[in-house]
Amino acid sequence: MLCQVGQSVAVLLLPSLSADIIDRGILSGDHAYILRMSVVMLGAAAVQILFATGTAWLGARIAIGFGRDLRSAVFARVQNFSLTELRAFGAPSLITRTTNDVQQLQAMLVMLLTMVMTAPIMGVGAVVMAIRQDTHLSLLLLVSVPVLGIVVGVLTVRSVPLFSRMQVQIDRVNQILREQITGLRVIRAFVRDTHERERFAGANDALTDTALRVGRLMALNMPAANIVMQLSSIAMVWFAAHRIAAGAMEVGSLVAFISYIAQVLISVMIASMLFAMAPRALVSGRRIREVLQTVPSVAEPAVPKPLAAPALQRGEIAFVDVSFAYPGAQAPVLRDVSFRIGPGETVAVIGATGAGKSTLVNLIPRLFDVSAGSVLVNGVDVRDLELATLWSLIGLVPQESFLFSGTVADNLRYGRAEADDGDLWHALEIAQAKDFVAALPQGLQAPVAQGGGNFSGGQRQRLTIARALVRRPSIYLFDDSFSALDYTTDARLRAALARETGPEAATLIVGQRVSSLRHANRILVLDRGTIIGTGSHDELMADCAAYREIVASQQRAGEASS
């Protein structure tokens, strides 16, 4: 603000100094006065340059810092979202809000700090100085400024809804592009290249059409402002000529007055540039505010319950009359589910697709919160535990194996940063991944592409299992984590896991193949969100018709082991 005030004062002095040089120096032939005032003008110009440079540097620094902090705030809030909020916004929209929308606000702030805040100072100051030069000519401002304001206002009002539509269309383009990149193999397998190109072209054309309509509106800003400015200048010279001829005004005052009127109109033009950017920035700000004001459905407890040191070393899970329904769903996914997994115990869950198996797993680390009942970990409701404490107890292997870009070692140490190479090789051996990692030219330092795209599905699955093992948690959650493994590797891995987890860890395995689950201490049969059978493999074969049907179907398909 100080820089802008200094810059504006220096700019406002220059026309008055020019008028003095013309009236008191040039017209009277006083060369000494011209020289003295020229030095003063050079000094004012130097001050203007100094303050303008400071304004630009500070404005850019503040705006860039604002963008950094806003991106960090959005990222931090998204990190706290549960799966409910993530699904509500959608990944493409969250990416756009974190990048494009923040950039719009950052650009707006640069404009605001470096130019627009100067405009009112310049505008008001120029009006005052113009009135000092000639009160009668200043009445022209009562016409030109309101006309320009009306033009800019109409263009702004018409552009706001278009900018809102444009941001939604950018989300749509990002969504389609993300789907096409992720599902490239499916698109090619079903020969849907033409269909996908047309789908993208439709979204792209809609965005382009909206952007062109906005561009046409914004393109009218400058011509409209220039027309008003030039017409005002013509009127000003016309009326000033009569006043000079009548001896009511000096030539230097006219020169200064024209400069001040130009500064007033330039200030209005700068404001019009703000109005050109403001609609899109307002839409972006509204979208970012939606993210920042969204309260995560999974929140830290107000008064967290601590876990004693012994409880951190063992694992125990209990579901007590748990029901869960997704927001807006007509029926719950889980109904009155109750079971317990004690230390050293392995419990498996099997059921048809859509039975609620993955949902059940997601309730333990509080990716969702239960709709009714409670989930207990080591005797404490998960909603009463600090999230960091809860997550530190759990080693989760999700249904979709995901690896981060980096190296194999980086991904394994994601579970425990301080793990040494010996710990990593041990986990790889248990996960049946040691042989293929050792065969890589760089071993543990072998590069991993984004998402693990340079590894096969079975290799990614074993690496994610090894990542969970490196953590040495007290609770293991395997969400259909053996589906990409052959039967021999599956059997070896399960045998090694049984030795590794030890007598203190609780293990929950979700799967579709009976061969992966039959050696668990207990098997839960889930059907439409309800447990309809529980017991060992032999007990379920004797007592549970649904389980026998699953086994029989896999035997007929040659998928069940003897």
Side-chain angles (χ1 to χ4, degrees), residues 370-394:
V370 297
S371 304
S374 57
V375 177
L376 307 180
V377 166
N378 294 348
V380 179
D381 193 314
V382 292
R383 290 169 293 188
D384 294 329
L385 288 172
E386 282 188 344
L387 290 173
T389 301
L390 173 63
W391 295 336
S392 69
L393 299 172
I394 295 172

Side-chain angles (χ1 to χ4, degrees), residues 201-222:
N204 195 25
D205 290 345
L207 174 60
T208 302
D209 180 64
T210 304
L212 285 172
R213 292 179 63 186
V214 170
R216 293 187 191 105
L217 283 175
M218 293 299 101
L220 294 175
N221 260 323
M222 281 300 180

Side-chain angles (χ1 to χ4, degrees), residues 8-341:
S8 301
V9 169
V11 170
L12 291 170
L13 283 176
L14 292 175
S16 293
L17 295 174
S18 297
D20 285 345
I21 289 177
I22 293 172
D23 294 335
R24 299 174 59 183
I26 295 176
L27 295 180
S28 63
D30 189 345
H31 298 289
Y33 185 81
I34 295 174
L35 182 60
R36 289 198 307 273
M37 296 307 296
S38 297
V39 172
V40 174
M41 287 187 70
L42 284 174
V47 170
Q48 178 199 355
I49 292 172
L50 178 65
F51 281 122
T53 303
T55 298
W57 185 83
L58 289 170
R61 186 177 181 86
I62 292 169
I64 290 170
F66 167 80
R68 175 201 62 206
D69 294 344
L70 192 56
R71 278 191 298 270
S72 297
V74 174
F75 179 81
R77 178 52 60 99
V78 171
Q79 289 294 301
N80 289 327
F81 281 171
S82 71
L83 293 180
T84 301
E85 289 81 45
L86 292 175
R87 291 175 177 177
F89 281 103
S93 180
L94 288 173
I95 292 172
T96 303
R97 293 172 199 240
T98 310
T99 54
N100 182 270
D101 286 337
V102 171
Q103 287 173 358
Q104 295 300 327
L105 289 179
Q106 184 172 301
M108 176 73 177
L109 187 58
V110 169
M111 172 75 73
L112 187 66
L113 292 174
T114 58
M115 296 179 64
V116 177
M117 292 180 71
T118 307
I121 301 173
M122 289 276 294
V124 173
V127 168
V128 173
M129 298 297 285
I131 292 173
R132 285 185 59 194
Q133 294 295 328
D134 193 285
T135 306
H136 292 84
L137 279 183
S138 301
L139 294 175
L140 289 172
L141 294 174
L142 296 177
V143 178
S144 57
V145 173
V147 169
L148 189 55
I150 291 171
V151 172
V152 172
V154 170
L155 294 176
T156 302
V157 169
R158 293 192 61 185
S159 64
V160 168
L162 291 176
F163 276 120
S164 297
R165 187 190 310 170
M166 192 167 153
Q167 292 303 104
V168 173
Q169 289 169 339
I170 291 174
D171 286 348
R172 178 62 178 162
V173 169
N174 285 343
Q175 178 189 0
I176 293 175
L177 184 60
R178 182 185 177 93
E179 287 177 350
Q180 291 176 348
I181 293 173
T182 306
L184 183 62
R185 288 180 295 180
V186 177
I187 293 170
R188 290 178 177 172
F190 286 90
V191 197
R192 300 290 287 177
D193 305 64
T194 302
H195 168 76
E196 290 300 323
R197 277 198 295 271
E198 292 173 352
R199 193 161 72 104
F200 182 82
N204 195 25
D205 290 345
L207 174 60
T208 302
D209 180 64
T210 304
L212 285 172
R213 292 179 63 186
V214 170
R216 293 187 191 105
L217 283 175
M218 293 299 101
L220 294 175
N221 260 323
M222 281 300 180
N226 277 321
I227 288 172
V228 174
M229 184 174 175
Q230 297 305 327
L231 290 176
S232 299
S233 298
I234 292 171
M236 195 184 313
V237 172
W238 172 267
F239 288 111
H242 290 81
R243 291 182 60 76
I244 292 173
M249 186 178 186
E250 295 181 343
V251 175
S253 296
L254 173 60
V255 173
F257 190 85
I258 292 175
S259 297
Y260 286 128
I261 296 302
Q263 288 177 2
V264 172
L265 295 177
I266 288 172
S267 298
V268 177
M269 289 175 65
I270 292 174
S272 72
M273 293 173 62
L274 168 67
F275 287 123
M277 297 181 65
R280 190 168 187 180
L282 288 172
V283 171
S284 296
R286 194 178 303 128
R287 285 159 51 87
I288 291 173
R289 187 177 61 191
E290 287 176 1
V291 176
L292 295 178
Q293 291 184 344
T294 297
V295 179
S297 57
V298 174
E300 292 278 5
V303 182
K305 292 184 179 179
L307 283 177
L312 296 173
Q313 305 302 319
R314 65 181 179 86
E316 181 182 345
I317 305 170
F319 276 58
V320 182
D321 299 326
V322 168
S323 295
F324 175 79
Y326 289 103
Q330 296 181 351
V333 180
L334 298 174
R335 300 182 186 86
D336 301 322
V337 173
S338 296
F339 65 91
R340 178 183 175 277
I341 308 175

